[in-house]
Amino acid sequence: MADTAPRIYTVPSGQPFLDCLARALLNGDLPVKGGAAPDAIDLTGVTLYLPTRRATRALQEAFLRAGRGRAMLLPAIKPIAEGDEDLSLLAGAVSGNPYAGADLPPPISSLERRLVLTQLVMRWSETMRDTNLSSGGELDPYAAAGSNTPAQAVALASELASLMDMVETENVSLDGLATLVPDQYSDHWQKTLTFLNIVTTYWPAHLAERKLMSPAGRRNAVILAEAARLRSMPPVGPVIVAGVTGSVPATVELMRAVAELKHGAIVLPGLDQELDEESWQAIVPDHPEHPQFGLKKLLDALGAARTHVSTLTGAEPSARQAARAAFTSEVMRPSGTTGRWHTYTEAARASRALTPALDGVALIEAASEADEAEAIALIMRHAAETPGKTAALISPDRLLARRVANRLMAWDIRVDDSAGRPFAKTVPGAFLLLVIDAMAESFAPAAIVALLKHPLARLGRDPFVMRRAVRALEIAVFRAPYLGAGLDDVAKSLERAQHDTSTGARRDTAVKRLWDEDWTAAHALVADLKSAFATL
């Protein structure tokens, strides 16, 4: 590779990316292959940019494994957060750094953004309805006008926020929206343009008034500021960008700045080095669906050919991994070049290349989703019980992942779900949803009983005392016809049930077995519940 070519490496698919990265740094193979291994002090002079905060934490553990548990001073590891996981991009670079975005306005919080956008959507909807009513058309009052309820406005606000993030991430402008469709062809499009004025006019005005920036806009500004800092004040030590694919255009500028440094290097994840050159060149711009489309665009933006990219030392694939990589490359090749499959299959049949490629690959056809989760859980349990063996489930199906995790939990095997756990699926989240449901449903019998039977619903009572009081309330009030709404009606129904029971008007066996202490506990429970919900 020529001296003028950027130092770009790749870790092939199937190899542990962060472990390979840590080993290469400790062995001296980054930023240049065959370099001297750094001592305990030299390592602190290395700067590493990784995609997300999660990656920075995982790299610290990878250094611990690569160093075989010995204590060491780690490099400066900074997250770029090239995704939705973390929008506080380059927070480590900004901290204590007067150059990388310290003079930028702070980002608006996600809660404030959603609330403000919801208000703007509701005002636009009101304006549209008023316009329809004043136009005099017979059906105009029933025409769609955005949101009819706050819930619909919140949903539209979320979509607008996603649109703004997408536009700002790609660093494009919406100035040409008005000219996309001629005025005489689409009246609906003109109404859409007035709706998008929320994004193009009112939202920027709100940010300017509040002296804030959008999260994606500030992220781009911080990344570009960091790139400018690297050019104006090049660090003395090595600077390495690892695991970043350039899907955010601003990160391409940062990677370009790192590639220009004397001690800069870039490590890409899973670059396809098996695909023939003609098919590789056909990926951009004709095949944006190809999994290597982003990496091809990145290399083009960096002015680097695929031949400039070498495999990171220590990450060389085994014969089986190389055969599998070649097979995967053929399976995913651009659709316009699939005619080359004939050549590949003939050569693979003659050389029996598919035998090692598919060694260890199995297909299980499950009868149901439950059986599918059970089979996966059994495979992962077997791996967990085998010394030195690991397993990972990769699936876009969040329900399947939760089913597998729950099944493993039954065997006391706790797994780390990288996508996190929905708050509603946690014990506090489920409890808070029950609180909201009880309020929203005016304390209907099913809602209030579900809330009171939750383990976190204690109202300062011992669990046994709480269960006894809830049981008394359920028997006295909700096992008879109940048409009330609100806690006041619950209290009145409880008083009426006690009166009817004492006078003999109510004779069902369960209510007659309640003790005076049970009635007292039920009355106290309703009173405490009213007090707890008073502020809500």
Side-chain angles (χ1 to χ4, degrees), residues 78-107:
K78 304 177 181 181
I80 298 178
E82 185 190 307
D84 296 334
E85 177 200 75
D86 186 352
L87 294 178
S88 63
L89 301 156
L90 285 176
V94 176
S95 178
N97 186 340
Y99 298 98
D103 57 344
L104 295 173

Short mmCIF file of all heavy atoms in Angstrom, two decimals, residues 78-107:
data_model
loop_
_atom_site.label_atom_id
_atom_site.label_comp_id
_atom_site.label_asym_id
_atom_site.label_seq_id
_atom_site.Cartn_x
_atom_site.Cartn_y
_atom_site.Cartn_z
N LYS A 78 -13.75 7.38 22.84
CA LYS A 78 -14.81 8.38 22.69
C LYS A 78 -15.91 7.85 21.78
O LYS A 78 -15.62 7.34 20.70
CB LYS A 78 -14.23 9.68 22.11
CG LYS A 78 -13.08 10.25 22.94
CD LYS A 78 -12.49 11.49 22.30
CE LYS A 78 -11.34 12.03 23.12
NZ LYS A 78 -10.76 13.25 22.52
N PRO A 79 -17.16 7.97 22.20
CA PRO A 79 -18.26 7.49 21.36
C PRO A 79 -18.69 8.52 20.32
O PRO A 79 -18.81 9.70 20.61
CB PRO A 79 -19.38 7.23 22.35
CG PRO A 79 -19.14 8.23 23.44
CD PRO A 79 -17.64 8.42 23.52
N ILE A 80 -18.90 8.05 19.11
CA ILE A 80 -19.50 8.90 18.08
C ILE A 80 -21.01 8.72 18.08
O ILE A 80 -21.75 9.60 17.71
CB ILE A 80 -18.92 8.56 16.68
CG1 ILE A 80 -17.41 8.82 16.66
CG2 ILE A 80 -19.59 9.38 15.60
CD1 ILE A 80 -16.76 8.46 15.34
N ALA A 81 -21.46 7.58 18.53
CA ALA A 81 -22.90 7.26 18.62
C ALA A 81 -23.58 7.42 17.29
O ALA A 81 -24.43 8.25 17.10
CB ALA A 81 -23.58 8.11 19.68
N GLU A 82 -23.21 6.58 16.34
CA GLU A 82 -23.75 6.63 14.99
C GLU A 82 -25.06 5.87 14.90
O GLU A 82 -25.23 4.96 14.14
CB GLU A 82 -22.73 6.03 14.03
CG GLU A 82 -23.10 6.13 12.57
CD GLU A 82 -22.16 5.30 11.74
OE1 GLU A 82 -20.94 5.48 11.85
OE2 GLU A 82 -22.65 4.48 10.96
N GLY A 83 -26.03 6.24 15.71
CA GLY A 83 -27.31 5.56 15.67
C GLY A 83 -28.27 6.16 16.66
O GLY A 83 -28.03 7.20 17.24
N ASP A 84 -29.39 5.48 16.87
CA ASP A 84 -30.42 5.98 17.76
C ASP A 84 -30.14 5.66 19.22
O ASP A 84 -30.84 6.14 20.10
CB ASP A 84 -31.78 5.38 17.38
CG ASP A 84 -32.21 5.81 16.00
OD1 ASP A 84 -31.76 6.89 15.58
OD2 ASP A 84 -32.97 5.08 15.36
N GLU A 85 -29.11 4.85 19.47
CA GLU A 85 -28.88 4.43 20.84
C GLU A 85 -28.51 5.61 21.72
O GLU A 85 -28.92 5.72 22.86
CB GLU A 85 -27.75 3.39 20.86
CG GLU A 85 -27.39 2.97 22.27
CD GLU A 85 -26.02 2.35 22.34
OE1 GLU A 85 -25.05 3.10 22.27
OE2 GLU A 85 -25.93 1.12 22.47
N ASP A 86 -27.72 6.55 21.19
CA ASP A 86 -27.21 7.63 22.02
C ASP A 86 -26.99 8.85 21.15
O ASP A 86 -26.19 8.82 20.23
CB ASP A 86 -25.89 7.19 22.68
CG ASP A 86 -25.39 8.21 23.69
OD1 ASP A 86 -25.96 9.31 23.78
OD2 ASP A 86 -24.43 7.90 24.37
N LEU A 87 -27.69 9.93 21.44
CA LEU A 87 -27.57 11.14 20.64
C LEU A 87 -26.69 12.20 21.31
O LEU A 87 -26.64 13.33 20.87
CB LEU A 87 -28.97 11.73 20.37
CG LEU A 87 -29.86 10.85 19.50
CD1 LEU A 87 -31.22 11.52 19.33
CD2 LEU A 87 -29.24 10.60 18.14
N SER A 88 -25.99 11.84 22.37
CA SER A 88 -25.11 12.79 23.03
C SER A 88 -23.72 12.74 22.41
O SER A 88 -22.73 12.82 23.09
CB SER A 88 -25.01 12.48 24.52
OG SER A 88 -24.44 11.20 24.71
N LEU A 89 -23.64 12.65 21.10
CA LEU A 89 -22.46 12.29 20.37
C LEU A 89 -21.19 12.98 20.81
O LEU A 89 -21.17 14.15 21.11
CB LEU A 89 -22.70 12.62 18.90
CG LEU A 89 -23.90 11.87 18.40
CD1 LEU A 89 -24.49 12.55 17.24
CD2 LEU A 89 -23.53 10.47 18.12
N LEU A 90 -20.13 12.18 20.79
CA LEU A 90 -18.81 12.69 21.13
C LEU A 90 -18.82 13.41 22.47
O LEU A 90 -18.12 14.40 22.65
CB LEU A 90 -18.30 13.64 20.03
CG LEU A 90 -17.83 12.93 18.76
CD1 LEU A 90 -17.43 13.94 17.72
CD2 LEU A 90 -16.68 12.00 19.03
N ALA A 91 -19.64 12.94 23.39
CA ALA A 91 -19.70 13.57 24.70
C ALA A 91 -18.34 13.53 25.36
O ALA A 91 -17.93 14.47 26.04
CB ALA A 91 -20.73 12.86 25.58
N GLY A 92 -17.61 12.43 25.16
CA GLY A 92 -16.28 12.35 25.74
C GLY A 92 -15.33 13.35 25.13
O GLY A 92 -14.43 13.87 25.79
N ALA A 93 -15.51 13.62 23.84
CA ALA A 93 -14.63 14.59 23.18
C ALA A 93 -14.94 16.01 23.63
O ALA A 93 -14.06 16.84 23.78
CB ALA A 93 -14.78 14.48 21.67
N VAL A 94 -16.21 16.30 23.88
CA VAL A 94 -16.59 17.64 24.28
C VAL A 94 -16.15 17.93 25.71
O VAL A 94 -15.77 19.03 26.06
CB VAL A 94 -18.11 17.82 24.14
CG1 VAL A 94 -18.54 19.18 24.65
CG2 VAL A 94 -18.51 17.67 22.69
N SER A 95 -16.23 16.90 26.55
CA SER A 95 -15.90 17.10 27.96
C SER A 95 -14.47 17.56 28.11
O SER A 95 -13.53 16.88 27.73
CB SER A 95 -16.12 15.79 28.72
OG SER A 95 -15.76 15.94 30.07
N GLY A 96 -14.29 18.73 28.68
CA GLY A 96 -12.96 19.27 28.90
C GLY A 96 -12.27 19.72 27.63
O GLY A 96 -11.08 20.00 27.63
N ASN A 97 -12.96 19.77 26.52
CA ASN A 97 -12.36 20.14 25.25
C ASN A 97 -13.01 21.43 24.77
O ASN A 97 -14.19 21.45 24.45
CB ASN A 97 -12.58 19.02 24.23
CG ASN A 97 -11.85 19.30 22.92
OD1 ASN A 97 -11.49 20.43 22.62
ND2 ASN A 97 -11.64 18.25 22.15
N PRO A 98 -12.28 22.54 24.70
CA PRO A 98 -12.89 23.81 24.33
C PRO A 98 -13.16 23.93 22.85
O PRO A 98 -13.68 24.94 22.40
CB PRO A 98 -11.83 24.82 24.77
CG PRO A 98 -10.53 24.09 24.67
CD PRO A 98 -10.85 22.66 25.03
N TYR A 99 -12.81 22.91 22.05
CA TYR A 99 -12.94 23.05 20.61
C TYR A 99 -14.13 22.29 20.05
O TYR A 99 -14.86 22.78 19.21
CB TYR A 99 -11.65 22.58 19.92
CG TYR A 99 -10.46 23.42 20.32
CD1 TYR A 99 -9.59 22.98 21.32
CD2 TYR A 99 -10.22 24.65 19.73
CE1 TYR A 99 -8.51 23.75 21.71
CE2 TYR A 99 -9.13 25.43 20.12
CZ TYR A 99 -8.27 24.97 21.10
OH TYR A 99 -7.23 25.73 21.49
N ALA A 100 -14.33 21.07 20.49
CA ALA A 100 -15.32 20.19 19.85
C ALA A 100 -16.72 20.47 20.35
O ALA A 100 -17.26 19.74 21.16
CB ALA A 100 -14.95 18.74 20.06
N GLY A 101 -17.31 21.56 19.90
CA GLY A 101 -18.71 21.82 20.16
C GLY A 101 -19.03 22.46 21.49
O GLY A 101 -20.20 22.58 21.85
N ALA A 102 -18.03 22.89 22.26
CA ALA A 102 -18.32 23.46 23.57
C ALA A 102 -19.07 24.78 23.47
O ALA A 102 -19.77 25.17 24.40
CB ALA A 102 -17.03 23.65 24.35
N ASP A 103 -18.93 25.49 22.35
CA ASP A 103 -19.59 26.78 22.20
C ASP A 103 -20.95 26.65 21.50
O ASP A 103 -21.58 27.66 21.17
CB ASP A 103 -18.70 27.74 21.40
CG ASP A 103 -18.32 27.19 20.03
OD1 ASP A 103 -18.48 25.96 19.83
OD2 ASP A 103 -17.86 27.96 19.19
N LEU A 104 -21.42 25.44 21.28
CA LEU A 104 -22.70 25.23 20.62
C LEU A 104 -23.82 25.29 21.65
O LEU A 104 -23.63 24.93 22.81
CB LEU A 104 -22.73 23.87 19.92
CG LEU A 104 -21.78 23.69 18.74
CD1 LEU A 104 -21.80 22.24 18.28
CD2 LEU A 104 -22.13 24.62 17.59
N PRO A 105 -25.01 25.73 21.23
CA PRO A 105 -26.16 25.69 22.15
C PRO A 105 -26.45 24.25 22.56
O PRO A 105 -26.17 23.31 21.80
CB PRO A 105 -27.30 26.29 21.32
CG PRO A 105 -26.64 27.05 20.23
CD PRO A 105 -25.35 26.34 19.94
N PRO A 106 -27.04 24.05 23.72
CA PRO A 106 -27.37 22.68 24.14
C PRO A 106 -28.50 22.11 23.30
O PRO A 106 -29.28 22.85 22.70
CB PRO A 106 -27.80 22.87 25.61
CG PRO A 106 -28.26 24.29 25.68
CD PRO A 106 -27.40 25.06 24.73
N PRO A 107 -28.61 20.78 23.24
CA PRO A 107 -29.72 20.16 22.47
C PRO A 107 -31.02 20.23 23.25
O PRO A 107 -31.03 20.20 24.48
CB PRO A 107 -29.25 18.71 22.31
CG PRO A 107 -28.38 18.47 23.51
CD PRO A 107 -27.70 19.77 23.81
#
